[in-house]
Amino acid sequence: MATNDSKVWFITGISRGLGRELAKAVLARGDVVIGTTRDGTSGLEARAGALHVLTLELTDAARIPQVVKQAHALHGRLDVVVNNAGYGLLGAIEEATAEEARHVFDVNFFGPLRVVQAALPFLRAQRKGHVVNITSIAGLAPMAGSGLYAAAKCALEGLSLSLAQEVAPLGVKVTLVEPGAFRTDFLSQHSRRESQGRIEDYAKTAGAVVEYLGKISGKQLGDPALGAKAIVDAVVADAAPLHLVLGSDALRRTRERVGILSGELDRWEAVTKSTDLTGPEAAGTLRPS
Ligand SMILES: NC(=O)c1ccc[n+]([C@@H]2O[C@H](COP(=O)([O-])OP(=O)(O)OC[C@H]3O[C@@H](n4cnc5c(N)ncnc54)[C@H](OP(=O)(O)O)[C@@H]3O)[C@@H](O)[C@H]2O)c1
């Protein structure tokens, strides 16, 4: 059984990439991993009782609550719940089919939502726990060429920012991990999906980005083992961050985005404020805190 000093981590997608490195880093700490893969095997080695692998395909909505319940029953608690599994859909927004859009949201947004909803009754009962949602730099500063993936990750960002406020008084923490480009299978043909429709008008925007992403596959800046270590360090820190941006590429893009937003707020401030009621009607206004 897990000791009082160790943590029990539930991690989706430990077959490859960041999830696999995270599972290794957690096991190396002496903590317990309950990981999911699509075939129920991981190939990872661990001391007896430290690693459990459950089968989960994230689009199988009905199975998610069963898997989370099964995970909780293994050690009688869940300390850290990591939504890691995901994939990128590349192509211009207009090029995507409705089915591609639905699937990318099913895996990257509705899957994590269902995991969180299934885990929360346990975390609330414990009055402690930590939800870690791995989104992406695409969820903070989207580029052309992966708009629907970015939309799903932005949705997970919004959900997490609200969730953090709802569960903080109940002792549950939330951290968003926003990686830049990491050297995993993420951009390889094994993982990425590409909309098949091609519209020539997007060749220089979305098309150019998709071509660039193909070229950097296997040559990304981020080391997944160091990314995993950074996630573990953040989770065990006294004051865990709400946002954990990983990689200097992600840092640069986030700073650019914040600068653009801040500049536009300043430039358009007068217009922004011009829509408030004025005069006698303003007196009875209630403002959200
Ligand atoms: N690497 C990057 O550059 C990068 C950047 C930003 C964000 N991220 C995010 O980081 C997370 C991990 O990605 P990664 O880089 O480790 O990619 P990866 O090497 O392609 O691994 C993806 C993992 O997700 C699992 N997965 C994919 N679709 C699934 C589904 N429908 N049901 C269950 N499991 C599924 C895969 O399982 P199988 O082995 O069965 O396919 C695999 O374990 C993702 O959420 C991704 O969006 C990655």
Side-chain angles (χ1 to χ4, degrees):
M1 289 300 283
T3 63
N4 284 343
D5 295 338
S6 63
K7 288 183 186 292
V8 177
W9 297 61
F10 177 79
I11 308 170
T12 62
I14 65 162
S15 60
R16 298 185 279 139
L18 267 178
R20 186 175 187 81
E21 291 304 326
L22 184 58
K24 282 159 64 178
V26 168
L27 290 169
R29 255 194 111 239
D31 285 354
V32 170
V33 171
I34 305 168
T36 74
T37 63
R38 285 196 264 198
D39 67 3
T41 67
S42 76
L44 290 171
E45 286 178 11
R47 64 176 204 288
L51 172 66
H52 311 266
V53 184
L54 305 177
T55 310
L56 182 62
E57 157 58 59
L58 269 178
T59 55
D60 189 347
R63 189 164 154 71
I64 292 178
Q66 296 165 11
V67 169
V68 173
K69 195 172 166 197
Q70 207 182 335
H72 176 265
L74 283 165
H75 292 267
R77 65 180 212 260
L78 294 173
D79 297 311
V80 190
V81 174
V82 186
N83 275 304
N84 162 74
Y87 78 94
L89 173 67
L90 303 184
I93 290 164
E94 194 183 336
E95 290 168 345
T97 64
E99 171 52 24
E100 287 167 342
R102 192 196 55 73
H103 192 268
V104 81
F105 264 80
D106 260 354
V107 175
N108 292 296
F109 177 73
F110 286 108
L113 166 64
R114 289 175 185 125
V115 168
V116 167
Q117 287 182 328
L120 280 173
F122 299 119
L123 306 189
R124 284 190 293 105
Q126 293 168 184
R127 284 296 193 260
K128 68 175 184 160
H130 200 147
V131 174
V132 178
N133 288 332
I134 302 197
T135 67
S136 170
I137 182 57
L140 286 177
M143 292 193 298
S146 57
L148 286 160
Y149 169 70
K153 293 296 195 181
C154 283
L156 191 53
E157 289 266 327
L159 174 149
S160 307
L161 296 181
S162 285
L163 181 69
Q165 296 167 59
E166 292 173 2
V167 297
L170 308 176
V172 178
K173 298 180 208 168
V174 177
T175 294
L176 279 155
V177 177
E178 292 122 343
F182 273 74
R183 205 170 293 186
T184 65
D185 283 346
F186 184 71
L187 290 175
S188 74
Q189 299 295 343
H190 189 166
S191 293
R192 69 186 239 184
R193 294 189 181 202
E194 221 170 290
S195 298
Q196 290 311 305
R198 275 288 157 270
I199 300 174
E200 195 46 37
D201 278 346
Y202 298 114
K204 291 194 172 137
T205 52
V209 175
V210 173
E211 197 183 325
Y212 163 75
L213 293 176
K215 281 188 189 145
I216 68 164
S217 178
K219 300 188 178 93
Q220 297 96 323
L221 181 65
D223 177 338
L226 294 178
K229 181 183 177 310
I231 295 169
V232 172
D233 289 349
V235 166
V236 302
D238 287 338
L242 177 57
H243 291 277
L244 180 65
V245 173
L246 293 180
S248 49
D249 53 340
L251 182 64
R252 179 184 51 76
R253 280 173 58 189
T254 306
R255 289 218 161 112
E256 269 173 23
R257 177 83 195 100
V258 169
I260 290 168
L261 180 60
S262 175
E264 291 204 332
L265 286 176
D266 289 347
R267 273 192 302 285
W268 289 83
E269 183 171 343
V271 175
T272 300
K273 289 178 171 169
S274 72
T275 58
D276 292 355
L277 281 170
T278 53
E281 285 143 320
T285 304
L286 289 179
R287 293 168 194 259
S289 57

